[in-house]
Amino acid sequence: MERFEVNILGCGSAVSTTRHYLSSQVVNLREKLFMIDCGEGTQLRFRAMKLKFQRLNHIFISHLHGDHCFGLPGLISTLSMLGRTADLHIYAQADAEKIFRPVLDYFCKELSYKVIFHIYNPKKNELIFEDRTLKVSTIPLNHRTPCAGFLFEEMPKSPHIIREMIDFYQVPVSRINAIKNGADFVTPDGTVIANRIFTRPAEPPHRYAYCLDTAYYEKIIPIIEGVDLLYHEATFSHADIVRAKETYHSSARQAAQIAKAAHVKKLVIAHFSARITDESILLNEAREVFPDTILANEGLVVEVSG
Ligand SMILES: [Zn+2]
Ligand SMILES: [Zn+2]
């Protein structure tokens, strides 16, 4: 199976602590790395997880709270000192460029590569990135400041070729690509052999949703319906629901309610309040509603398809 996994770099909220770094993670899809959020400390965690800087070309920023983006200037500066030449693409809301461009212009005057900002509208569910293997779209969330999660979807894969049938009908190598793309095969005597004789359907494309920071927000349910993996914030336990509401965050129980209502396959809860010292309370609370839940942690790698 091809690699599609989430590397968790940081999963704390608001302030760095000795227990948790701030929000950042790296999605690895077939050895291409896509960073989501870049809290302070991200570049250290990136190195600690032995990820490769040269495979990182795209960074998605959910919103402009410091715990999700203060790591950007440091990371950008380090990449230049390492001699990077490839463009770096940052997907964020309009203010991000206004804020970070002057910082980069001041501190990184001789940047060895280009930083390109791509502006998205956090109020819309829209496609913001696409290549041959992946598409990424935004998930509007409900937070104190405009905020969007991200839906990562693999592109549909080509069907598998059944080698024995290719051999049996003596299909020339030059026809195999066409068969992968759905063509039938015509034998030299003019008989048409249906495509399905030569192919087995590929596994359905896998999908991953990243949803933080947000209050409990049912509008995301149709967008994330049935994803293989949901990463949802659970800043507080439900005992702190008043504070969760005031700060536009979710409780662990609410994260699980979203996971259940959206029929996701697996839930990771994250963005823990620095005041929580025993996260098993959050885990138990979530599992009562949605048993297939795990806690995020620095260094944890979660398979999207596994
Ligand atoms: Zn946050
Ligand atoms: Zn926030």
Side-chain angles (χ1 to χ4, degrees), residues 63 67-68 213 249 271:
H63 66 300
D67 57 330
H68 296 256
D213 296 353
H249 285 297
H271 198 263

Side-chain angles (χ1 to χ4, degrees), residues 121-128 137-140 149 151 153 222-223:
N121 177 355
K123 295 200 175 80
K124 274 182 142 170
N125 170 216
E126 60 183 2
L127 183 69
I128 56 169
S137 46
T138 45
I139 307 169
L151 179 65
E153 297 175 274
I223 303 173

Side-chain angles (χ1 to χ4, degrees), residues 3 5-10 24-29 31-36 42-56 75 79 82 299-301:
R3 196 191 288 262
E5 64 190 21
V6 176
N7 296 264
I8 300 171
L9 275 56
S24 182
Q25 60 177 240
V26 170
V27 176
N28 180 340
L29 178 61
E31 306 310 326
K32 278 194 252 174
L33 305 184
F34 301 85
M35 181 176 283
I36 309 179
T42 290
Q43 58 171 314
L44 299 177
R45 297 304 313 161
F46 193 98
R47 282 182 190 273
M49 291 192 76
K50 304 208 175 340
L51 295 163
K52 295 198 171 78
F53 282 124
Q54 64 270 28
R55 294 193 185 274
L56 174 70
L75 174 64
L79 293 177
L82 294 174
L300 188 66
V301 182

Side-chain angles (χ1 to χ4, degrees), residues 208-229:
Y208 166 59
Y210 175 94
C211 294
L212 53 97
D213 296 353
T214 186
Y216 177 78
Y217 196 44
E218 291 180 351
K219 284 191 181 158
I220 68 175
I221 292 169
I223 303 173
I224 64 170
E225 173 70 33
V227 295
D228 296 279
L229 180 66

